[in-house]
Amino acid sequence: SLYPHYFTHTYPGTTGCEATCESDDIDEATCSGKFECEWYDEKCWSRVGREACPESPEALDAFLANVINPSDGAAHQVG
């Protein structure tokens, strides 16, 4: 997974989108049907951590793109 740091809190989380995705009662099929959630290590997790669930897959993509390439104006050099 791209975001292993999202999988280090006490499970299930209760803040923001964690409350939607994270539960011992959610199975893989249910989890996989929610774009804002991710199945990892036999559990369902929020893909945005404690942030509010995104309203659409496009909003999720924008959030994740900003996490990977933050638009903070700083120069990000590769290599």
Side-chain angles (χ1 to χ4, degrees):
S1 174
L2 291 173
Y3 307 106
H5 58 284
Y6 286 170
F7 310 131
T8 58
H9 59 269
T10 301
Y11 190 91
T14 57
T15 305
C17 204
E18 291 176 349
T20 298
C21 297
E22 301 182 12
S23 168
D24 292 323
D25 296 329
I26 296 179
D27 60 19
E28 184 172 3
T30 302
C31 185
S32 296
K34 297 175 181 285
F35 70 87
E36 66 272 38
C37 309
E38 180 172 351
W39 189 254
Y40 173 79
D41 196 26
E42 301 301 309
K43 289 181 168 55
C44 192
W45 302 82
S46 164
R47 294 184 69 189
V48 297
R50 293 180 165 201
E51 299 297 319
C53 288
E55 295 181 6
S56 66
E58 293 77 18
L60 173 65
D61 289 343
F63 174 86
L64 296 178
N66 194 52
V67 171
I68 298 168
N69 299 302
S71 55
D72 56 10
H76 295 279
Q77 295 186 350
V78 177

